[in-house]
Amino acid sequence: LIEKPFGDDLASAIQINDEIKQVFDEEEIYRIDHYLAKEMIINILTIRFSNQVFKSLWNKESIENIQISVTEQVGVGDRGGYYDQSGALKDMVQSHLIQMLTYVLMDEPQSMSPHHIHEAQEKAIDYLELADIDHFSDSFVRGQYLANNDSLGYLQENRIDPNSDTETFVAMEIRSKNPSLDGVPIYIRTGKRMEKQETV
């Protein structure tokens, strides 16, 4: 049973998987994301594929845009040592937000078995498309929270490198080439020390 982060980059993630597979069969390995245990996230697949109204409207003709936001009012707290090595991209986007996004974007799986859901999620990820490098700055923002009267800024938090450029806020626009949602803008954002705490 392992939970993210699965390494620091693709090469180290592959290495970790290869080492685990030397000891366990794939069916014995559980890569978990605790965010998927949230009640609303658990219900997304039921709402999408069991409700005929939602099922018929889940396409580019009915959806103007897709937005996933996870904001927190707290800072990094006592997680400074970990967080300064990961940041919002590795801590939230590459795992929790992408997992949630696959539930929103994936085509109906062959069955609700974990294997078929995983296959549909992989296909949804394959459809994702970032802006090309020449226009990337138009669709990607990262930043850090600053000190105010009530709280420390990120660089003043415990166990944070005072010269760190680790992001505590990320916002991006991506697209899916899935024919049913092609052209629908997708906005993902997450940050710490935000005005309110919510997952929407």
Side-chain angles (χ1 to χ4, degrees):
L1 181 66
I2 58 173
E3 187 181 11
K4 63 90 182 166
F6 308 126
D8 297 317
D9 53 24
L10 180 58
S12 58
I14 290 171
Q15 180 183 352
I16 290 169
N17 273 315
D18 288 346
E19 289 175 1
I20 292 171
K21 288 179 181 179
Q22 290 176 13
V23 181
F24 299 101
D25 293 331
E26 181 61 38
E27 295 74 27
E28 299 172 310
I29 302 168
Y30 296 88
R31 298 171 191 86
I32 65 167
D33 183 344
H34 66 268
Y35 239 76
L36 298 184
K38 291 181 179 286
E39 186 175 356
M40 187 58 208
I41 296 170
I42 290 171
N43 291 334
I44 288 174
L45 297 184
T46 303
I47 290 168
R48 283 202 56 202
F49 301 122
S50 298
N51 184 312
Q52 291 303 314
V53 173
F54 280 112
K55 198 172 177 178
S56 64
L57 295 174
W58 212 275
N59 56 59
K60 62 187 176 186
E61 283 75 35
S62 302
I63 297 174
E64 184 176 310
N65 63 67
I66 296 167
Q67 298 186 38
I68 296 179
S69 295
V70 177
T71 58
E72 300 174 88
Q73 289 181 306
V74 298
V76 296
D78 60 0
R79 298 175 66 221
Y82 159 74
Y83 199 90
D84 206 35
Q85 300 301 311
S86 63
L89 274 170
K90 288 184 179 178
D91 185 52
M92 292 297 294
V93 175
Q94 78 166 8
S95 52
H96 305 323
L97 273 68
I98 296 298
Q99 287 277 15
M100 287 189 279
L101 184 60
T102 62
Y103 277 22
V104 172
L105 297 180
M106 66 190 241
D107 292 327
E108 186 169 6
Q110 187 175 335
S111 76
M112 287 299 162
S113 72
H115 174 73
H116 287 138
I117 290 173
H118 183 72
E119 280 185 343
Q121 286 180 291
E122 278 189 15
K123 190 173 178 184
I125 289 172
D126 288 342
Y127 277 130
L128 290 180
E129 181 177 72
L130 295 172
D132 64 68
I133 196 67
D134 294 332
H135 300 95
F136 195 70
S137 62
D138 297 335
S139 60
F140 183 85
V141 176
R142 61 191 290 269
Q144 289 179 347
Y145 59 84
L146 300 174
N148 62 33
N149 294 333
D150 301 321
S151 59
L152 298 173
Y154 179 69
L155 297 181
Q156 291 81 48
E157 295 278 16
N158 192 25
R159 298 168 60 200
I160 299 294
D161 178 345
N163 299 308
S164 174
D165 68 351
T166 298
E167 73 286 340
T168 64
F169 174 84
V170 172
M172 66 178 75
E173 177 185 354
I174 55 181
R175 302 281 174 145
S176 172
K177 299 308 283 183
N178 183 325
S180 67
L181 293 167
D182 190 15
V184 175
I186 302 163
Y187 303 104
I188 293 177
R189 67 184 68 84
T190 185
K192 291 188 174 294
R193 286 272 162 80
M194 303 294 283
E195 183 179 359
K196 55 186 173 180
Q197 178 153 334
E198 65 181 1
T199 301
V200 292

